[in-house]
Amino acid sequence: MKNPLYWAVLAAMTIMLMQQGLLVRSQGDYQSNNKVMDNITVRQGETVFLRCEQGNAVTHTAWLNRSSILYAGEDKWSVDPRVSLVTLNEEEFTIKIENVDMTDEGQYVCAVQTSSRPRTTSVHILVQVPPKIINLSRDIVVNEGSNVTLMCQASGKPEPSISWKFLSSSAGLTSDDEFLEIPSISRQRAGTYECSAANNIDTDLQTLNIIVNYAPAVTDGRDVGVALGQRGVLECEADAVPEADFEWYKNDRRISNGLDGLNILSTGSLSKLTFFNVSEGDYGNYTCVAVNKLGNSNTTFYLYGGKAVQDGSGTSVRLHCHSWVLFLVFIPFLLRI
């Protein structure tokens, strides 16, 4: 084997010509002495084998990459533990590179010295990389009516295509761009959004959530009739994000929880005002006010007297005053039948 200086000079000449985009050959060689193999396409993380045909007249051989000698005969020059010798005999000189990465992409040359003239075999490794989402908008909280822009960027080779999908509605909202624009967002657009990055190797999926804040909207109050001494409940429901705080008023006076035999229980979107023992002074108008940081909304109730009677099963049945009036009005007509 020739000394390291020989290989160093050969490597320098080979690398210089490779960087100029020329086939590697010595002066006086013919094109036929220099072979260009088909590109090798390999996925990131896989193993690639580089095979170079030898011949009986070969005296020295080496594998080189873009910047250095990998192997000179049986001598390993590369310090990369992923590179190893597979076969070296009169027929072939094969090395392998394990766990291929993007840094391994490029041209590789097998330089062979024969008794007559040198020859080279070159091959270009193309590394395919599965997509990976590298920059995604975070979960966000916005007020209704705001303009929202979501961003999703991904790496990969071939370059991945980006698409968006709104997962929280069957109606859906899709886009084939790394930016998703949602002008004047409504509460119906709150929910989970999915970004998809795909190439012919694989697909990467990630999601984010949008919370849309909006002012409370209460349902219309329902008047309730309750007999004296009975238990009565007024229910107030509000749709709001964030959840509303509830306040109860009789006329213009705010009701304090636990006083005058009243109890206020608010859970989520529902608030209940309970009368444990209705008295004459409890009858009248009540107002429920739902409040959050974006605004408020209210509705009114009328608590009026009713009368409890017994049905056939002994169950107490409450008849509203309005029902009694209607009943009395229709008695004469019923007697004529």
Side-chain angles (χ1 to χ4, degrees):
M1 173 182 171
K2 289 185 172 63
N3 60 39
L5 180 59
Y6 170 84
W7 289 112
V9 173
L10 176 61
M13 294 176 60
T14 304
I15 292 168
M16 179 181 67
L17 293 172
M18 289 166 60
Q19 291 175 342
Q20 294 176 358
L22 302 175
L23 287 172
V24 181
R25 57 178 182 270
S26 60
Q27 186 175 3
D29 283 343
Y30 295 97
Q31 181 77 15
S32 59
N33 291 329
N34 302 280
K35 180 180 179 181
V36 179
M37 299 171 60
D38 292 335
N39 293 338
I40 297 177
T41 301
V42 61
R43 294 184 180 183
Q44 186 182 43
E46 294 182 342
T47 297
V48 63
F49 292 86
L50 302 179
R51 181 178 180 274
C52 178
E53 294 181 357
Q54 296 285 81
N56 296 332
V58 172
T59 57
H60 297 87
T61 186
W63 268 108
L64 307 91
N65 68 0
R66 301 171 303 280
S67 58
S68 61
I69 300 174
L70 300 178
Y71 264 91
E74 295 181 347
D75 295 332
K76 182 178 179 180
W77 286 46
S78 172
V79 297
D80 192 335
R82 301 174 303 129
V83 180
S84 61
L85 177 64
V86 177
T87 305
L88 178 58
N89 54 37
E90 291 184 354
E91 296 180 357
E92 66 175 275
F93 178 28
T94 302
I95 63 172
K96 70 176 179 179
I97 305 174
E98 299 178 281
N99 194 23
V100 172
D101 202 355
M102 279 297 297
T103 56
D104 299 313
E105 187 170 87
Q107 189 178 29
Y108 291 75
V109 173
C110 176
V112 175
Q113 178 65 51
T114 67
S115 57
S116 58
R117 66 188 66 179
R119 71 170 188 268
T120 63
T121 300
S122 64
V123 62
H124 200 96
I125 294 179
L126 300 175
V127 180
Q128 292 185 329
V129 181
K132 181 176 179 58
I133 295 174
I134 57 176
N135 193 3
L136 180 69
S137 296
R138 297 181 179 181
D139 294 347
I140 58 174
V141 179
V142 296
N143 294 337
E144 190 169 35
S146 301
N147 296 326
V148 175
T149 299
L150 302 181
M151 179 180 65
C152 180
Q153 296 177 324
S155 62
K157 189 177 180 182
E159 183 177 353
S161 59
I162 304 294
S163 61
W164 285 94
K165 183 184 296 184
F166 182 40
L167 301 181
S168 298
S169 170
S170 58
L173 175 68
T174 60
S175 173
D176 294 325
D177 192 270
E178 64 181 34
F179 294 98
L180 176 63
E181 304 283 348
I182 311 175
S184 189
I185 192 168
S186 65
R187 65 193 69 181
Q188 289 77 23
R189 291 303 183 190
T192 303
Y193 290 77
E194 178 187 78
C195 173
S196 170
N199 61 16
N200 58 0
I201 308 301
D202 204 351
T203 300
D204 188 21
L205 300 174
Q206 289 191 30
T207 61
L208 62 88
N209 292 300
I210 298 180
I211 297 174
V212 179
N213 291 332
Y214 51 91
V218 296
T219 56
D220 291 338
R222 183 172 60 88
D223 296 343
V224 175
V226 182
L228 290 173
Q230 299 297 314
R231 181 177 180 273
V233 179
L234 301 179
E235 294 187 353
C236 179
E237 188 172 6
D239 179 26
V241 176
E243 289 183 346
D245 295 321
F246 292 91
E247 300 171 358
W248 285 91
Y249 295 84
K250 183 179 183 184
N251 299 322
D252 294 329
R253 180 178 63 86
R254 182 172 179 178
I255 299 172
S256 298
N257 194 16
L259 296 180
D260 302 324
L262 302 178
N263 180 69
I264 299 172
L265 178 62
S266 300
T267 306
S269 62
L270 182 65
S271 181
K272 295 181 179 180
L273 175 62
T274 302
F275 304 82
F276 293 104
N277 186 6
V278 173
S279 65
E280 192 72 36
D282 290 328
Y283 296 135
N285 289 311
Y286 290 83
T287 301
C288 169
V289 180
V291 182
N292 70 8
K293 63 182 182 180
L294 296 181
N296 63 79
S297 180
N298 66 79
T299 187
T300 59
F301 302 81
Y302 183 68
L303 181 70
Y304 57 88
K307 184 174 181 179
V309 298
Q310 299 292 324
D311 65 8
S313 63
T315 303
S316 178
V317 180
R318 296 169 185 169
L319 296 180
H320 300 166
C321 291
H322 299 85
S323 301
W324 277 105
V325 171
L326 291 174
F327 181 70
L328 293 173
V329 169
F330 280 100
I331 284 178
F333 294 98
L334 294 174
L335 295 176
R336 294 176 186 175
I337 298 175

